Amino acid sequence: MKIIEAAVSAPEAKIGVVISRFNKFINLNLLDGAISSLKRIGQVNHDNITVIWVPGAFELPLATETLIKTNKYDAIIALGTVIRGHTSHCEYIANEASAGIARISINNNIPIAFGLLTTENIEQAIERSGTKLGNKGSEAAITVLEMINVLKAIKLII
Ligand code: INI
């Protein structure tokens, strides 16, 4: 029997963080959580992290794909916040962002973490960006660290 379960340390990894400016006051906390986890938990070198700002969550997939095409990154963390309004506008944005990111990750065989908060209100977003319900940015960082090592192990062992 072979079992693959990887660690989360990836000191040599090159990580791109694509982040939305819309709801920036929340997203800055997601970024803080992501970078802190990359460095403290993943031991990722400060110089190997690139942060790219885009206007909104809808733009996350395009910037992510463009970054991947440079072939300089081992993983991408996509960060943003979509807060429900009075219309269905936010659903179109959240759906496109999530579908786009999933498609790009699979098509390019590269880990991309979906660090997009999709909440009913601002309070829920605050709770998930470094207060009582954790930090989605930090979770996203730990996810890509593990996935970098999982993909490596699959290629080595199987
Ligand atoms: N972008 C977000 O990141 N979050 C939102 O909640 C949001 N809402 O609700 O409108 C939002 N809109 C902007 C969108 O992502 C695009 O930047 C815009 O539509 C231009 O393409």
Side-chain angles (χ1 to χ4, degrees):
M1 182 170 78
K2 287 176 184 161
I3 297 176
I4 291 176
E5 191 173 16
V8 292
S9 172
E12 303 302 322
K14 299 209 167 32
I15 310 287
V17 183
V18 182
I19 179 166
S20 155
R21 209 179 304 110
F22 205 103
N23 294 321
K24 185 175 181 181
F25 77 108
I26 299 283
N27 300 342
L28 279 173
N29 292 328
L30 299 178
L31 180 63
D32 189 50
I35 295 197
S36 166
S37 292
L38 287 176
K39 290 185 184 173
R40 280 186 313 104
I41 299 172
Q43 310 289 304
V44 175
N45 187 320
H46 179 82
D47 296 333
N48 287 349
I49 303 171
T50 307
V51 178
I52 292 115
W53 286 91
V54 297
F58 191 79
E59 285 72 34
L60 291 172
L62 176 60
T64 297
E65 181 146 50
T66 307
L67 204 53
I68 288 173
K69 297 288 186 212
T70 65
N71 287 322
K72 290 187 179 158
Y73 294 90
D74 297 302
I76 310 289
I77 300 169
L79 300 177
T81 305
V82 175
I83 299 173
R84 190 183 290 285
H86 296 296
T87 69
S88 55
H89 184 70
C90 64
E91 278 161 33
Y92 288 96
I93 292 165
N95 289 344
E96 285 310 312
S98 63
I101 286 166
R103 175 183 53 77
I104 294 163
S105 180
I106 291 163
N107 288 354
N108 293 281
N109 193 32
I110 183 167
I112 308 174
F114 184 61
L116 185 73
L117 288 174
T118 53
T119 66
E120 295 297 320
N121 50 50
I122 290 175
E123 191 186 358
Q124 287 182 352
I126 292 170
E127 285 172 349
R128 290 159 178 78
S129 56
T131 61
K132 61 183 182 183
L133 292 177
N135 187 316
K136 196 70 167 173
S138 169
E139 279 173 32
I142 295 167
T143 298
V144 295
L145 289 165
E146 181 173 346
M147 286 308 295
I148 287 169
N149 291 327
V150 166
L151 297 192
K152 248 190 219 160
I154 292 172
K155 287 169 193 161
L156 270 178
I157 295 168
I158 294 177

